[in-house]
């Protein structure tokens, strides 16, 4: 038979994508199941499945249940056909994971960052990426890509325009990393990456309208509407840490006054904790756990200020869930009540009727898992015949 051309080739691509999608989402499936699910005829399904098996993307496993007659062979997605690297470049750490193609973590590593100069951070970043890649088992596709979440504003070409806490401007990170490894690289803001992580693997699974609030040194948000990340006209959406919650409040590095993150971030918490003699979030949580009322009161206050900003977010977006993530999620038990009380008091009743406030299920891994997802997502796009 001649190789299909033009429209036929396009139809084949589309059908292959449909079959692969069905297997990724609903496996184990028999060929007959796929035919029923997709409406494609059995001969077409068999031929496309064979292509996917030949491409190492689909595996046959044992025998399924039969409704009579011969037992069908079941098909699953070959999640170890390749691996992805996810990186969360923080302000004082770099965290990395190696995942399979379903996003399952195979290996993880973290290094502390003590200096922020690019010439110091880049070698650390490369070392971490290489240590993760070295853990990747033999596989048909190898490492398929690298996703990196960063604490700053990123444009569509993967350039970090501004990362205030690292004091970086105009860093072409995507170019640097993809040139070095000759692999697809995807850079996004850490709050967007965290939102993706929770949407795919964490508390936001199956939820269409989700706002992820990354509360670390600053506050960033990742907005998921209709299960898609909303990035705005230039990719800069979600800078809700700079929402004013105090009209004549403290000056912010962004030029505004009274920004939310000045009152409700980890940085704000530690500023208030210093006079009490506590220097880290973990120390403060430990003190609260041991009954220190001043520490408990501090968390209540941060929780209330977090709630004020969240109330605005809820009134604007009418989400089904708000997920509080990053470092502050570690203090869930101490901030949860005051967050909820404040949101209840300050949101419109219609908006909070269906609202759930959750904490990141992936804890501190939301962003790093989301970063790996970017690489996986692009891999699927390529094997389905996209650009
Ligand atoms: Zn600001």
């Amino acid at each position: 038979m001649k190789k299909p051309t033009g429209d036929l080739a396009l139809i084949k691509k589309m059908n292959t994508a449909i079959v692969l999608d069905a297997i990724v989402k609903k496996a184990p499936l028999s060929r007959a199941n796929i035919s029923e699910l997709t409406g494609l005829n059995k001969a077409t399904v068999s031929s496309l499945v064979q292509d996917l098996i030949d491409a190492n993307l689909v595996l046959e496993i044992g025998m399924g249940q039969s409704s009579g007659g011969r037992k069908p062979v079941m098909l699953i997605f070959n999640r170890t056909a390749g691996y992805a690297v996810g990186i969360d470049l923080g302000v004082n750490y770099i965290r990395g994971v190696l995942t399979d193609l379903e996003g399952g973590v195979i290996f993880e590593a973290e290094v502390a960052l003590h200096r922020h100069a690019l010439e110091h951070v880049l070698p650390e970043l490369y070392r971490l990426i290489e240590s993760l890649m070295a853990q990747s088992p033999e596989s048909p596709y190898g490492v398929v890509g690298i996703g990196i979440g960063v604490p700053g504003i990123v444009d569509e070409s993967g350039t970090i325009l501004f990362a205030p806490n690292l004091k970086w401007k105009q860093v072409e990170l995507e170019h640097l990393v993809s040139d070095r490894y000759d692999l697809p690289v995807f850079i996004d803001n850490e709050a967007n990456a965290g939102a993706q992580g929770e949407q795919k693997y964490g508390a936001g699974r199956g939820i269409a309208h989700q706002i992820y609030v990354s509360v670390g040194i600053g506050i960033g948000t990742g907005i998921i509407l209709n299960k898609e990340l909303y990035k705005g006209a230039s990719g800069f959406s979600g800078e809700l840490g700079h929402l004013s919650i105090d009209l004549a409040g403290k000056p912010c590095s962004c030029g505004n006054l009274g920004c939310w993150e000045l009152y409700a971030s980890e940085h704000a918490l530690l500023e208030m904790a210093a006079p009490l003699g506590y220097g880290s979030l973990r120390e403060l949580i430990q003190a609260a756990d041991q009954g220190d009322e001043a520490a408990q009161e501090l968390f209540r206050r941060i929780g209330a200020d977090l709630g004020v900003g969240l109330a605005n977010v809820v009134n604007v977006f009418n989400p089904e869930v708000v997920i509080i993530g990053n470092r502050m999620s570690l203090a869930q038990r101490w901030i949860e009540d005051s967050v909820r009380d404040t949101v209840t008091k300050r949101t419109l009743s219609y908006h909070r009727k269906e609202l759930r406030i959750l904490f990141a299920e992936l804890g501190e891994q939301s962003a790093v898992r989301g970063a790996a997802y970017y690489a996986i997502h692009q891999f699927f796009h390529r094997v389905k015949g996209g650009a």
Side-chain angles (χ1 to χ4, degrees):
M1 207 174 94
K2 273 196 238 162
K3 210 172 158 165
T5 52
D7 288 350
L8 278 178
L10 182 65
I11 289 167
K12 189 175 180 199
K13 259 186 199 173
M14 286 164 59
N15 287 342
T16 308
I18 290 168
V19 170
L20 182 58
D21 256 346
I23 296 171
V24 167
K25 288 188 183 133
K26 303 224 166 82
L29 293 174
S30 68
R31 288 167 175 81
N33 294 149
I34 296 170
S35 174
E36 281 158 29
L37 275 171
T38 61
L40 296 168
N41 75 52
K42 284 183 186 170
T44 303
V45 168
S46 284
S47 145
L48 296 175
V49 163
Q50 193 54 50
D51 290 349
L52 290 167
I53 291 173
D54 293 343
N56 292 303
L57 291 169
V58 165
L59 298 173
E60 293 184 321
I61 54 159
M63 300 288 177
Q65 293 292 326
S66 166
S67 48
R70 205 152 58 94
K71 285 189 176 173
V73 175
M74 301 306 279
L75 303 161
I76 57 168
F77 172 60
N78 182 11
R79 65 190 157 82
T80 56
Y83 295 88
V85 169
I87 300 285
D88 173 12
L89 175 57
V91 176
N92 39 26
Y93 64 86
I94 313 176
R95 181 175 293 136
V97 291
L98 180 78
T99 74
D100 62 32
L101 294 177
E102 284 179 347
V105 176
I106 304 291
F107 183 75
E108 52 186 291
E110 189 178 329
V111 292
L113 267 189
H114 302 292
R115 285 177 291 168
H116 295 148
L118 194 61
E119 57 272 27
H120 173 72
V121 175
L122 278 184
E124 294 281 355
L125 175 66
Y126 294 153
R127 245 196 304 280
L128 184 66
I129 289 173
E130 281 148 33
S131 75
L132 292 163
M133 286 170 58
Q135 296 292 327
S136 129
E138 262 311 301
S139 65
Y141 292 92
V143 172
V144 300
I146 301 168
I148 307 179
V150 297
I153 297 174
V154 182
D155 75 6
E156 285 139 338
S157 71
T159 297
I160 302 173
L161 300 182
F162 182 44
N165 291 311
L166 293 171
K167 300 194 168 62
W168 288 5
K169 273 185 179 168
Q170 290 293 332
V171 176
E172 295 185 356
L173 195 63
E174 185 178 313
H175 279 278
L176 289 169
V177 180
S178 63
D179 281 357
R180 185 176 173 96
Y181 298 109
D182 197 23
L183 281 174
V185 173
F186 313 92
I187 314 284
D188 202 352
N189 174 270
E190 62 84 21
N192 284 344
Q196 283 290 18
E198 290 294 325
Q199 171 74 200
K200 294 297 163 191
Y201 311 119
R205 278 192 308 270
I207 293 168
H209 305 290
Q210 167 207 316
I211 310 290
Y212 171 81
V213 185
S214 167
V215 189
I217 299 288
I219 294 181
T221 54
I223 300 160
I224 290 192
L225 305 174
N226 289 319
K227 297 197 174 177
E228 296 286 331
L229 190 64
Y230 175 75
K231 299 199 63 170
S234 311
F236 307 156
S237 68
E239 288 294 335
L240 296 179
H242 299 284
L243 199 88
S244 291
I245 63 165
D246 186 352
L247 202 60
K250 296 188 247 185
C252 182
S253 61
C254 74
N256 193 1
L257 298 177
C259 291
W260 186 21
E261 71 175 30
L262 300 177
Y263 303 88
S265 61
E266 181 185 4
H267 185 75
L269 179 73
L270 294 180
E271 233 173 41
M272 291 191 283
L276 303 176
Y278 298 113
S280 76
L281 181 60
R282 280 178 203 280
E283 275 174 40
L284 204 58
I285 292 172
Q286 206 174 35
D289 287 346
Q290 287 165 357
D292 181 332
E293 285 179 16
Q296 293 173 2
E297 176 54 30
L298 258 187
F299 279 122
R300 272 194 292 276
R301 207 173 135 189
I302 283 285
D305 281 338
L306 202 49
V308 172
L310 285 182
N312 290 326
V313 171
V314 168
N315 284 342
V316 172
F317 291 104
N318 177 213
E320 295 164 272
V321 300
V322 166
I323 301 171
I324 298 170
N326 203 346
R327 299 271 298 161
M328 200 62 87
S329 67
L330 301 174
Q332 175 176 355
R333 58 188 172 281
W334 294 113
I335 62 174
E336 191 166 7
D337 289 347
S338 65
V339 169
R340 284 183 201 285
D341 288 350
T342 312
V343 171
T344 301
K345 279 186 202 135
R346 289 176 177 254
T347 44
L348 294 162
S349 61
Y350 308 100
H351 291 61
R352 70 175 174 265
K353 207 168 151 221
E354 305 286 334
L355 173 72
R356 283 182 292 150
I357 297 174
L358 305 174
F359 285 77
E361 220 173 274
L362 306 177
E364 290 182 287
Q365 283 203 341
S366 314
V368 79
R369 299 280 301 277
Y373 171 75
Y374 285 121
I376 295 169
H377 179 71
Q378 285 297 324
F379 170 73
F380 277 113
H381 189 65
R382 291 196 301 278
V383 297
K384 284 175 189 170

